[in-house]
Amino acid sequence: MTCGAAFIYSTKFLDYHFHSDHPFNQRRVLLSKDLLEKNKLLSKSDITEPRMATEDELALFHDKVFINAVKRAGTSDLSDDECMEYGIGTEDTPAFPNMHEASSYLVGGTLTAVDSVLQGKSEHALNLGGGLHHGFKRKASGFCVYNDGAIAINYIRQNYDLKVLYVDTDAHHGDGVQWAFYDDPNVCTLSIHETGRYLFPGSGHINERGIKEGHGYSFNLPIDAFTQDESFTQTYETALREIADFFQPDVILTQNGADAHVNDPLTHLCATMETFEQIPLLAHKIAHQYCNGRWIALGGGGYDMWRVVPRAWAQIWSVMKTGDIQSGDLPPDWQSEWQSKSPVTLPVTWHDEKQIIPNIPRKDDITEKNDKVLQSALKYTNNKLNEML
Ligand SMILES: [Zn+2]
Ligand SMILES: [Zn+2]
């Protein structure tokens, strides 16, 4: 199956750069793009240049005072009080030059992706520069300044009036997007993430189900630390199928953080590439089954930027473009291009080698716990029960 897909990219994405030791590094997007080009999956005609989001567009979600603080942070120092209030200048989210412009380009990329799909220029669109799911209305958080996903959903609601299913497979809870639509029955959020017991941001409990009209439209699957492929994909697949059937979305927006991988330095999940192959394959299926193919995918976290993120993100585009994942060897000229710049040995195959899978003695326990989380989270997707809500 061949679908029309748009790859949103600008070198301006690389200007979203805190400092050289910061774990969040947008060179991941360039590495993914280069891998696709060298694998002959991406050509110039696939690429759409993004625009910068306007201030009115940012204000679809953010407070004007916050936008102004971001603008000032990029050119001069904020006071200590302002840093506290707006979450900028912290260790996680330090200020950097042109912070507002760089952050607005990531948002513009996501809005360009939305327009491409909803104006019928392509069925799918991918903005690997986006997915900054921790951004709040008036506060930056967890490496995220402007929350492009939340802005895009408001933009879809306002300009296209469609029901949006947001699916977040980043290892961290998609808190910023969840709270933005917590009372909205036209936006359903699903986040599968490592339990917040030991991991930022700490939220994402099963019982966060939404409020008022939006009650029953927020789903959380907090899975156990050390979860491996089988349990991750089983939990994700069952949940996404049931929730899509329950909600009947018009469009799907996915956040594709690649930090659930066993090599990721910031989280404790133990997935391999297998999980990052299954994630886009099912999202694609569901988009065609329920949404006439309307699927917009974003990047997100992912801190093993050399070994994990490029392959994981390239597979999303592969699925969008060809309907399937890649397997076998990576293009050797990709390794020769980047190996000298990488502190670790680059992978040579699309799939992970078996040796990287750790032996987790608690595996059965973890699977059982995750199954219980799944059952409890999906308790209300059954239509009869839903009428009682
Ligand atoms: Zn398709
Ligand atoms: Zn993350």
Side-chain angles (χ1 to χ4, degrees), residues 2-17:
T2 312
C3 296
F7 188 95
I8 316 297
Y9 182 78
S10 160
T11 51
K12 295 203 173 77
F13 287 173
L14 305 177
D15 296 341
Y16 190 87
H17 181 73

Side-chain angles (χ1 to χ4, degrees), residues 5 7 32-47 311 313-327 331 350:
F7 188 95
S32 310
K33 173 177 170 273
D34 191 58
L35 175 55
L36 287 165
E37 284 171 338
K38 293 198 161 62
N39 208 75
K40 310 266 180 285
L41 280 164
L42 182 71
S43 63
K44 275 214 171 76
S45 60
D46 294 315
I47 298 175
R311 288 183 299 163
W313 285 0
Q315 292 287 20
I316 306 169
W317 177 254
S318 174
V319 170
M320 283 190 169
K321 193 73 188 163
T322 72
D324 211 349
I325 52 162
Q326 299 297 304
S327 55
W350 283 95

Side-chain angles (χ1 to χ4, degrees), residues 1 3 123-124 284 288 319-320:
M1 177 170 44
C3 296
E123 286 159 290
H124 317 313
H284 184 236
H288 279 287
V319 170
M320 283 190 169

Side-chain angles (χ1 to χ4, degrees), residues 115-313:
D115 283 334
S116 179
V117 169
L118 298 187
Q119 292 171 1
K121 289 181 210 149
S122 64
E123 286 159 290
H124 317 313
L126 176 62
N127 176 26
L128 294 174
L132 303 190
H133 60 169
H134 298 307
F136 284 81
K137 208 173 165 64
R138 50 185 296 149
K139 195 167 192 171
S141 169
F143 317 156
C144 303
V145 182
Y146 297 138
N147 189 328
D148 56 293
I151 294 165
I153 294 171
N154 276 330
Y155 182 83
I156 294 171
R157 294 290 309 141
Q158 185 172 307
N159 295 322
Y160 300 96
D161 194 24
L162 299 172
K163 281 170 70 181
V164 186
L165 175 59
Y166 173 81
V167 182
D168 189 317
T169 48
D170 192 285
H172 300 91
H173 176 224
D175 55 350
V177 180
Q178 170 180 297
W179 302 128
F181 303 100
Y182 210 50
D183 59 357
D184 189 342
N186 296 302
V187 179
C188 181
T189 62
L190 161 62
S191 180
I192 178 168
H193 46 264
E194 180 182 333
T195 162
R197 223 172 297 137
Y198 315 106
L199 191 72
F200 178 91
S203 51
H205 299 280
I206 307 168
N207 61 8
E208 292 164 23
R209 296 187 190 271
I211 50 166
K212 299 180 196 163
E213 304 262 281
H215 187 248
Y217 296 93
S218 166
F219 293 92
N220 283 293
L221 298 160
I223 55 176
D224 224 30
F226 308 108
T227 294
Q228 295 180 287
D229 290 325
E230 242 183 347
S231 182
F232 190 115
T233 55
Q234 212 260 326
T235 308
Y236 162 75
E237 294 214 22
T238 308
L240 181 50
R241 282 181 194 284
E242 279 205 28
I243 291 166
D245 190 57
F246 152 79
F247 183 63
Q248 304 280 320
D250 300 315
V251 52
I252 296 179
L253 180 64
T254 61
Q255 194 273 17
N256 295 269
D259 45 7
H261 194 279
V262 61
N263 286 348
D264 195 276
L266 298 193
T267 76
H268 316 98
L269 296 177
C270 293
T272 73
M273 287 308 300
E274 169 73 22
T275 291
F276 298 102
E277 293 157 4
Q278 296 306 316
I279 286 171
L281 280 172
L282 183 65
H284 184 236
K285 250 187 230 156
I286 296 286
H288 279 287
Q289 193 177 341
Y290 294 91
C291 308
N292 274 326
R294 289 187 288 261
W295 172 30
I296 297 129
L298 310 173
Y303 306 98
D304 190 322
M305 64 176 269
W306 298 99
R307 292 178 298 186
V308 174
V309 184
R311 288 183 299 163
W313 285 0

Side-chain angles (χ1 to χ4, degrees), residues 24-32 300-302 305 309-310 313:
F24 189 95
N25 190 328
Q26 288 294 50
R27 275 177 89 199
R28 304 170 301 160
V29 185
L30 176 61
L31 287 163
S32 310
M305 64 176 269
V309 184
W313 285 0

